[in-house]
Amino acid sequence: MQDTWNELVTGATTIHEWEPTMVSGMLQTADYARHVFLRYAELQNSVRDTEEAVRSRMKRQEWLYRPGKRLHVLLWEATLHTLICPPRVLAAQLDRLVGVIGMDTVHLGIVPFHATVKVPPSNGFWCFDGRLVVTEDWHAELWLDDTDTITTYQRVWQALSESAVFGAEAQHTIAQARRSIDGR
């Protein structure tokens, strides 16, 4: 499954992502990814090829260092606090997020808890070059390529983006979440 995603990402120039529940796979540390894969394997009673999946996800992140690529990620603030992994792993993951702010290929925004939103922060999705949207639910992954659907998801992304903080404000929001881990 991760290899299919690698092919999809490799072929893209611009990706827009909304992630309300966990850190974007494109920005995950190996330890964080490992815990995500383990939790989903438990839920789905699927084969535990965790280390292979982690290696594949980390390989996908090479895309972030290629000229001309652009990743626009919006995370709901909840992703910064969700302990799908041990606190030390989440702390390292948050440090990684701070480190990608300012990369020329990454535009990271955080939709804070206190933000007024135009649409509910519901299911996550990826939009690839305005030609394909991929969204997941508990039971299925949907690949949507009709123009009207893509336009709807682009409007949702734009509406959420208007509620997000970027740059120094995003770093501040991440730092607050990081401090809350240290206080546990």
Side-chain angles (χ1 to χ4, degrees):
M1 185 172 174
Q2 293 303 307
D3 292 338
T4 300
W5 271 90
N6 284 359
E7 290 176 27
L8 184 59
V9 168
T10 298
T13 301
T14 304
I15 300 170
H16 287 80
E17 179 184 6
W18 161 245
E19 190 57 70
T21 59
M22 66 183 155
V23 173
S24 165
M26 291 291 285
L27 304 177
Q28 289 177 1
T29 64
D31 283 342
Y32 185 93
R34 185 172 293 108
H35 287 279
V36 168
F37 288 130
L38 286 170
R39 297 293 175 102
Y40 276 111
E42 288 171 12
L43 175 70
Q44 300 292 346
N45 286 326
S46 60
V47 176
R48 293 192 185 210
D49 55 352
T50 305
E51 293 310 313
E52 185 177 333
V54 169
R55 278 190 297 277
S56 187
R57 179 161 286 175
M58 294 303 105
K59 181 172 178 46
R60 183 180 320 140
Q61 292 180 9
E62 293 172 5
W63 184 90
L64 296 172
Y65 302 96
R66 294 188 182 135
K69 305 294 185 177
R70 297 291 178 265
L71 176 65
H72 302 271
V73 178
L74 298 174
L75 302 176
W76 191 30
E77 186 177 349
T79 65
L80 309 177
H81 299 274
T82 302
L83 285 171
I84 194 161
C85 57
R88 66 172 177 72
V89 173
L90 182 58
Q93 178 60 68
L94 296 180
D95 292 343
R96 162 84 166 129
L97 287 180
V98 169
V100 302
I101 293 174
M103 285 180 64
D104 63 348
T105 58
V106 178
H107 190 229
L108 174 63
I110 309 293
V111 177
F113 288 136
H114 67 272
T116 299
V117 292
K118 293 181 179 179
V119 295
S122 59
N123 65 302
F125 62 88
W126 296 63
C127 185
F128 296 89
D129 295 323
R131 64 178 167 72
L132 175 70
V133 170
V134 179
T135 185
E136 296 178 328
D137 207 333
W138 293 111
H139 71 292
E141 182 178 272
L142 303 173
W143 290 40
L144 310 164
D145 61 1
D146 66 279
T147 304
D148 290 342
T149 299
I150 291 169
T151 300
T152 298
Y153 277 89
Q154 288 172 326
R155 284 195 325 262
V156 168
W157 195 93
Q158 185 58 42
L160 290 165
S161 176
E162 292 170 14
S163 300
V165 295
F166 297 89
E169 287 181 83
Q171 286 178 323
H172 177 72
T173 303
I174 295 166
Q176 284 180 308
R178 177 70 167 80
R179 283 192 299 275
S180 75
I181 294 169
D182 292 339
R184 289 182 187 165

